[in-house]
Amino acid sequence: FAAFLCPREAGGQTYIIDWQGPSVDLAARDLNFLFANFWTRAQRREGDREVRLLRRYHGALLAGGVTGYGWEELIEDYRLMLIFRIFLPVW
């Protein structure tokens, strides 16, 4: 329950916070962790699932007011995090 930030008065917003590892990193890091670790290659490609969800994420960033971060930059970050993940066990 320590991950919930609840309002003092009824009717306010409740937020869930991930306290496990707060950090500043590339935007694609968490997506990469989820997609690469929990889906097989076949699952990622099924119905273009991986690309579809990356496009959805990018669209949400743009809808939220993020500027100057294009689709190609997201893909580059995503690929960089895939490479980084290869070296993680060595580290």
Side-chain angles (χ1 to χ4, degrees):
F1 292 108
F4 289 88
L5 298 178
C6 299
R8 292 178 187 247
E9 297 179 21
Q13 290 283 354
T14 299
Y15 298 93
I16 300 173
I17 304 294
D18 179 6
W19 296 106
Q20 183 178 4
S23 65
V24 176
D25 212 326
L26 295 176
R29 182 173 186 233
D30 286 336
L31 295 174
N32 181 277
F33 181 81
L34 173 67
F35 298 169
N37 284 342
F38 296 101
W39 292 338
T40 65
R41 182 177 180 166
Q43 288 173 317
R44 291 194 313 269
R45 291 182 175 201
E46 179 182 300
D48 287 329
R49 177 186 294 172
E50 188 173 33
V51 173
R52 235 178 344 105
L53 291 175
L54 286 169
R55 287 198 179 277
R56 182 176 176 179
Y57 174 78
H58 187 253
L61 289 176
L62 298 179
V66 172
T67 59
Y69 190 65
W71 170 250
E72 291 300 322
E73 290 168 299
L74 173 64
I75 293 301
E76 186 177 317
D77 289 347
Y78 188 77
R79 289 177 179 155
L80 181 63
M81 294 314 305
L82 279 172
I83 293 167
F84 177 74
R85 190 143 316 278
I86 292 169
F87 295 107
L88 195 57
V90 175
W91 176 58

